């Protein structure tokens, strides 16, 4: 079994992910959902480089954990994370991203890209799919987990809470919902149109085990993963990760204008300098 990386190594991998995200955003001739990509970079790193039982050399391994990106517009963050893990080629992502017939679309397509468990993009559907996968695994007495990464904005939708009730009702301890709680939507802040707070308490009220995590603290993310209940326990778990949209780049952080965008060469240099200055500061 491959030795798991240390916290310091994971932080370095998260830096690499941010660097490559910004590089793509500055070279792609179009917009990238860079704000939300940066908010989930540490979460993606902790999952794909540490937490998930996966093998890029055996993508259909029966015992593998399943991962669903319900927040489909963060696809490029997933692609690059998986490239760092050994699934894909980063240079190919940069060369083909968003182009006609590319496997690396703005939203993930499992038909185009083996290794991706689920096509996504229309928000609010991922958790229901994860519930189905987790229930199937439980009925088959399989021990793997099913992880579903959501944005807090999409949890404004009733379909998410229907799935949450169902997951608790079927006692799916093998189900883990990971919420990117950056408190922003595309054009406004998430608690303005719909009152989500007190947010963790809502998941508790729906029968979930809730763990509140600093989504940019690698040690806390690793501890949350290490302390997940056994997959045959009787409660699904919600990891509520408090994050900052645009994390690491001052002119993007909590800026509604950077839900999606393109970087000029000047802005890209500034952004790369800033994440470089913050490297190893934790």
């Amino acid at each position: 079994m491959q030795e798991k990386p240390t916290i310091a190594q994971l932080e370095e991998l998260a830096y690499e992910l941010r660097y490559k995200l910004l590089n793509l955003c500055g070279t792609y001739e179009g917009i990238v959902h860079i704000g939300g990509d940066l908010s989930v970079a540490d979460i993606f790193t902790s999952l794909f480089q540490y937490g998930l039982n996966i093998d890029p050399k055996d993508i259909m391994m029966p015992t593998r954990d399943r991962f669903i990106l319900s927040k489909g517009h963060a696809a490029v963050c997933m692609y690059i994370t998986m490239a760092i893990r050994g699934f894909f080629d980063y240079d190919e992502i940069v060369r083909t991203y968003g182009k006609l017939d590319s496997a690396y679309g703005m939203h993930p397509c499992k038909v185009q890209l083996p290794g991706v468990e689920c096509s996504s993009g229309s928000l609010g559907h991922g958790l229901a799919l994860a519930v189905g996968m987790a229930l199937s695994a439980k009925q088959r007495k399989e021990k793997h987990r099913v992880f579903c990464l959501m944005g807090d904005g999409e949890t404004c939708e009733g379909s998410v809470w229907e799935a949450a009730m169902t997951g608790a009702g079927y006692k799916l301890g093998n189900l883990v919902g990971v919420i990117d709680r950056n408190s922003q939507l595309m054009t406004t802040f998430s608690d303005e149109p719909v009152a989500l707070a007190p947010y963790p308490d809502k998941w508790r009220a729906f029968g979930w085990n809730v763990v509140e995590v600093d989504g940019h603290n690698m040690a806390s993310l690793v501890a949350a993963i290490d302390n997940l209940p056994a997959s045959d326990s009787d409660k699904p778990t919600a990891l509520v990760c408090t994050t900052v949209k645009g994390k690491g780049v001052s002119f993007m952080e909590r800026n509604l204008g950077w839900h999606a965008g393109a970087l000029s060469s000047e802005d890209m240099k500034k952004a790369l300098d800033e994440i470089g200055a913050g490297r190893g500061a934790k």
Side-chain angles (χ1 to χ4, degrees):
M1 181 181 292
Q2 182 177 339
E3 186 176 346
K4 290 193 173 185
T6 65
I7 301 299
Q9 289 170 331
L10 288 168
E11 289 175 344
E12 182 64 21
L13 289 167
Y15 165 77
E16 180 183 352
L17 173 56
R18 283 193 168 86
Y19 183 94
K20 289 181 172 178
L21 278 166
L22 291 166
N23 178 69
L24 184 143
C25 188
T27 56
Y28 174 60
E29 294 182 358
I31 64 169
V32 176
H33 288 94
I34 190 65
D37 288 329
L38 291 172
S39 72
V40 291
D42 297 303
I43 297 169
F44 263 120
T45 299
S46 67
L47 290 173
F48 275 86
Q49 314 299 342
Y50 182 88
L52 294 177
N53 176 32
I54 51 175
D55 184 353
K57 296 178 181 177
D58 185 6
I59 60 173
M60 298 305 292
M61 179 176 66
T63 58
R64 73 191 185 280
D65 289 331
R66 274 59 164 181
F67 176 81
I68 293 178
L69 179 61
S70 187
K71 179 183 168 170
H73 53 286
V76 71
C77 192
M78 181 177 72
Y79 301 151
I80 297 175
T81 304
M82 293 177 75
I84 294 170
R85 183 69 171 81
F87 282 86
F88 309 134
D89 179 65
Y90 172 70
D91 291 335
E92 183 184 2
I93 296 170
V94 174
R95 184 173 63 253
T96 68
Y97 176 71
K99 294 182 179 179
L100 185 64
D101 295 330
S102 172
Y104 304 101
M106 290 189 177
H107 295 87
C109 176
K110 72 171 188 176
V111 176
Q112 293 279 354
L113 204 56
V116 171
E117 301 283 353
C118 174
S119 303
S120 60
S122 181
L123 296 174
H125 296 168
L127 188 60
L129 292 167
V131 166
M133 288 183 178
L135 178 57
S136 175
K138 181 176 181 179
Q139 290 174 338
R140 296 168 184 265
K141 301 188 184 305
E142 297 171 349
K143 299 301 183 183
H144 65 266
R145 289 189 172 93
V146 181
F147 291 78
C148 179
L149 177 56
M150 298 167 273
D152 62 336
E154 69 176 296
T155 64
C156 294
E157 301 190 29
S159 55
V160 172
W161 299 104
E162 291 177 25
M165 283 191 291
T166 303
Y170 281 108
K171 303 183 185 301
L172 300 180
N174 57 345
L175 175 62
V176 182
V178 184
I179 300 97
D180 174 27
R181 179 75 164 126
N182 64 33
S183 299
Q184 287 183 224
L185 307 180
M186 183 168 67
T187 58
T188 188
F189 293 91
S190 58
D191 282 293
E192 291 176 2
V194 177
L196 291 176
Y199 191 75
D201 288 343
K202 286 183 167 60
W203 288 94
R204 293 187 182 99
F206 275 73
W208 285 55
N209 171 49
V210 175
V211 180
E212 299 179 56
V213 187
D214 178 345
H216 300 305
N217 185 301
M218 195 61 69
S220 296
L221 288 165
V222 165
I225 292 167
D226 284 344
N227 290 295
L228 285 171
S231 62
D232 59 357
S233 61
D234 61 3
K235 270 190 177 185
T237 294
L239 300 183
V240 180
C241 303
T242 302
T243 62
V244 174
K245 202 163 184 175
K247 175 65 176 178
V249 180
S250 61
F251 59 86
M252 291 185 186
E253 288 190 355
R254 298 188 176 89
N255 184 342
L256 292 173
W258 277 102
H259 174 78
L263 284 166
S264 66
S265 57
E266 182 180 347
D267 281 345
M268 184 166 75
K269 182 182 184 306
K270 181 178 180 182
L272 292 174
D273 286 346
E274 288 191 2
I275 66 162
R279 187 179 185 184
K282 294 178 182 180

